[in-house]
Amino acid sequence: MQTVVIIIHLLIVLSLVGTVLLQRSEGGIGMGAGGGGGGGGPGGFMTGRGQASALTRATAILAAAFFATSLTLAILAGYDRQPTSVFDVPGGVTAPPVQPGEEAPGGGAGPGILEQLQQQQGDEPASPQVPQSR
């Protein structure tokens, strides 16, 4: 489903770029289509008002379709995503819940995240290095 919407979205984008580039410049600063900096002359590709309004209408329709497919892609991207938290422990290893008034096992401080990760990988936690005094 998402692939189909992406392909439609890309076709709309290419069509939108094409219709914008086909429109005649209405003056402005710099070198226009007429070569003089004042815009296009009467011998240009799009001289009729009917053709210009058709291009304007097509641009508006393609812009609305682009907006709709963009919203659809954003909704589809977040549809299957499960909410996560920065407090979730990787691998689902959590400490047993402590009731109010009880002390946590191990003297109040459970194993740290490093020890939990080492246990998951099957490694023994490294014993703390005590500096030797000479």
Side-chain angles (χ1 to χ4, degrees), residues 24 29 53 81 84 88-89 96 119 128:
R24 180 171 63 99
I29 301 173
S53 65
R81 184 173 297 172
T84 59
D88 289 341
V89 178
Q119 288 173 358

Side-chain angles (χ1 to χ4, degrees), residues 9-133:
H9 186 73
L10 290 176
L11 291 174
I12 290 171
V13 166
L14 292 175
S15 301
L16 185 60
V17 168
T19 55
V20 168
L21 290 177
L22 282 176
Q23 292 181 8
R24 180 171 63 99
S25 173
E26 296 291 333
I29 301 173
M31 300 297 283
F45 177 66
M46 298 298 297
T47 57
R49 285 307 252 171
Q51 292 174 340
S53 65
L55 275 178
T56 305
R57 194 175 313 124
T59 304
I61 291 170
L62 287 171
F66 173 79
F67 185 72
T69 55
S70 296
L71 282 177
T72 304
L73 285 172
I75 291 170
L76 287 175
Y79 184 70
D80 291 332
R81 184 173 297 172
Q82 298 295 328
T84 59
S85 172
V86 294
F87 298 112
D88 289 341
V89 178
V93 177
T94 58
V98 177
Q99 298 297 327
E102 290 183 0
E103 189 174 313
I113 188 72
L114 182 61
E115 286 86 9
Q116 289 178 0
L117 289 173
Q118 287 173 340
Q119 288 173 358
Q120 284 180 357
Q121 293 176 352
D123 297 337
E124 287 296 318
S127 60
Q129 298 292 329
V130 179
Q132 298 176 356
S133 60

